[in-house]
Amino acid sequence: MIEIVSARRCIECDICVKVCPANVFDATENGAPVIARQNDCQTCFLCEIYCPTDALYVAQMAEEPTGITEEEVEARGLFGSYARALGWSRGKAGGAQFDPTHRIRVAQ
């Protein structure tokens, strides 16, 4: 379940808003997207994987909010941990240079 959107790390690209199949986030005028429908999160990790600045944390195996804080996530090095576990780093899939699915094309 999505737990944290770090306003400090977020660059307001809204990729997480666009990739979320459950429409969990709401974009804001000025600032980081907000988690508007946390209970709808399917724990698919797409938001965390595609975030270019590792500003999101999705808790594994959580059926309800865990209460983890941004400070705890930062201290434990959990921002972007799922993407790293997959071999991804900052928008490039490790070892899959011929796989175009690691990029999001945003329709204008």
Side-chain angles (χ1 to χ4, degrees):
M1 174 178 281
I2 182 69
E3 294 286 332
I4 306 283
V5 176
S6 172
R8 183 180 58 78
R9 290 171 167 257
C10 182
I11 58 171
E12 302 171 28
C13 65
D14 290 337
I15 290 174
C16 57
V17 177
K18 293 170 182 140
V19 300
C20 181
N23 194 30
V24 168
F25 303 98
D26 281 345
T28 61
E29 277 290 313
N30 295 309
V34 295
I35 302 168
R37 291 161 290 283
Q38 187 175 29
N39 288 331
D40 291 345
C41 179
Q42 299 172 0
T43 316
C44 67
F45 292 95
L46 287 175
C47 59
E48 185 177 321
I49 292 168
Y50 284 107
C51 180
T53 60
D54 295 335
L56 298 125
Y57 171 68
V58 177
Q60 296 179 12
M61 311 283 216
E63 293 185 23
E64 59 185 46
T66 64
I68 194 166
T69 66
E70 184 172 344
E71 291 75 22
E72 289 176 274
V73 172
E74 185 76 49
R76 293 171 53 192
L78 296 175
F79 281 116
S81 60
Y82 189 77
R84 284 191 305 276
L86 293 176
W88 288 39
S89 63
R90 303 268 181 200
K92 182 178 179 188
Q97 57 270 38
F98 301 110
D99 180 0
T101 61
H102 70 279
R103 299 195 189 274
I104 296 283
R105 294 186 194 265
V106 180
Q108 298 284 328

